[in-house]
Amino acid sequence: MNNQKQQKPTLSGQRFKTRKRDEKERFDPTQFQDCIIQGLTETGTDLEAVAKFLDASGAKLDYRRYAETLFDILVAGGMLAPGGTLADDMMRTDVCVFAAQEDLETMQAFAQIILYVKEEMKKNNIPEPVVIGIVWSSVMSTVEWNKKEELVAEQAIKHLKQYSPLLAAFTTQGQSELTLLLKIQEYCYDNIHFMKAFQKIVVLFYKAEVLSEEPILKWYKDAHVAKGKSVFLEQMKKFVEWLKNAEEESESEAEEGD
């Protein structure tokens, strides 16, 4: 077994160029996907080569226009079909987060690549709340979930715990955290087996520092949507009370310190 550590990719930081395109140019995410996957296939599993390819492609391909497709590929390995699954007739790549070895060094290398793309998208005015919605959909899309309600929560927690660092990279803003909360609420409502898993997912993300107190309290107070409202608010009641008490204790200790 080769114990030599794989060198982490380094990125030159070249800015992706936003092309001035003809307004009549056809939106073709499939063609964009094929170009990216072909390049990733040629790089193989060499993350240094992957980083260089993404860096160079940013000057030629319209990352801003195809942001959702790019994140689908980097996270899930291909463009997601409606409903959040990988289409059988689409090209795929194993050079993605889901197919990566589950060791810390490899995951950190992929995180560096994705963070680089994130920074370039920020320069191209693609807001983080939009990105976290894409990442959430990708993370949840490629798992065959258990149909038993009592087992799917445990399965979801195990899966999401593994990808918490990835999600945390895209929740550096309060609005991004709130967007993620709403995505979780909608997902748990739309997928009936997840109805009892909502609170467990939120608590996991709080412990993993994906979510913080203020957005959770705001969601509970007035920022939630109607889907499953009564069920999810009831699930969250005790945890929200705990958060409020912890917040009050922290404020009291701060005042005493002054």
Side-chain angles (χ1 to χ4, degrees):
M1 183 175 178
N2 186 3
N3 293 322
Q4 185 176 0
K5 289 186 177 180
Q6 184 178 18
Q7 185 177 356
K8 292 184 180 179
T10 56
L11 299 163
S12 67
Q14 172 186 333
R15 288 194 61 173
F16 298 161
K17 295 179 181 178
T18 304
R19 297 181 302 172
K20 293 182 178 178
R21 60 182 184 275
D22 191 310
E23 291 182 1
K24 295 181 180 179
E25 183 181 347
R26 187 164 63 96
F27 180 70
D28 191 353
T30 301
Q31 184 179 12
F32 174 86
Q33 174 192 245
D34 292 349
C35 291
I36 293 291
I37 289 183
Q38 182 179 350
L40 292 177
T41 300
E42 291 172 359
T43 65
T45 57
D46 181 352
L47 294 183
E48 178 72 30
V50 170
K52 289 179 179 178
F53 165 71
L54 291 173
D55 201 13
S57 296
K60 297 178 291 183
L61 299 176
D62 195 342
Y63 281 5
R64 180 183 182 185
R65 196 178 190 201
Y66 296 105
E68 185 169 351
T69 303
L70 180 61
F71 271 88
D72 281 352
I73 295 168
L74 292 176
V75 176
M79 191 165 63
L80 298 177
T85 58
L86 281 170
D88 292 334
D89 58 344
M90 291 289 184
M91 290 180 68
R92 302 186 187 186
T93 177
D94 288 333
V95 185
C96 64
V97 174
F98 284 172
Q101 296 179 19
E102 296 179 9
D103 62 273
L104 182 59
E105 185 176 1
T106 302
M107 293 303 290
Q108 286 177 336
F110 267 102
Q112 184 180 353
I113 291 172
I114 291 176
L115 284 172
Y116 169 71
V117 176
K118 173 190 170 185
E119 286 302 312
E120 295 301 329
M121 288 184 171
K122 186 188 296 182
K123 294 172 186 175
N124 283 293
N125 299 317
I126 300 174
E128 187 181 84
V130 172
V131 176
I132 189 60
I134 296 169
V135 174
W136 166 260
S137 296
S138 297
V139 166
M140 298 299 287
S141 66
T142 55
V143 179
E144 186 173 343
W145 297 108
N146 199 299
K147 299 300 182 184
K148 294 184 179 180
E149 192 175 66
E150 64 272 18
L151 298 177
V152 75
E154 181 181 348
Q155 182 188 10
I157 294 303
K158 183 178 180 180
H159 176 69
L160 291 171
K161 186 175 183 179
Q162 180 181 347
Y163 293 104
S164 290
L166 175 65
L167 291 160
F170 298 97
T171 52
T172 63
Q173 304 168 10
Q175 187 58 47
S176 304
E177 294 182 50
L178 194 55
T179 297
L180 178 57
L181 279 162
L182 293 173
K183 290 291 183 182
I184 299 168
Q185 180 183 354
E186 291 172 355
Y187 187 91
C188 290
Y189 178 81
D190 292 339
N191 297 271
I192 191 68
H193 301 298
F194 279 80
M195 286 293 287
K196 292 183 179 179
F198 177 79
Q199 185 262 2
K200 294 178 180 178
I201 294 173
V202 174
V203 172
L204 167 70
F205 285 165
Y206 174 76
K207 291 180 178 178
E209 298 184 350
V210 176
L211 298 171
S212 55
E213 294 92 344
E214 188 174 342
I216 295 173
L217 294 175
K218 181 171 179 54
W219 172 88
Y220 186 84
K221 182 180 179 182
D222 56 20
H224 48 263
V225 292
K227 290 183 174 182
K229 170 184 171 182
S230 59
V231 174
F232 298 139
L233 290 179
E234 182 61 31
Q235 283 183 27
M236 290 292 292
K237 187 175 180 180
K238 289 184 179 180
F239 182 60
V240 166
E241 289 175 356
W242 179 84
L243 284 178
K244 288 179 178 178
N245 290 333
E247 192 174 41
E248 289 172 1
E249 289 177 7
S250 296
E251 290 174 355
S252 177
E253 289 174 1
E255 289 174 0
E256 291 176 4
D258 293 340

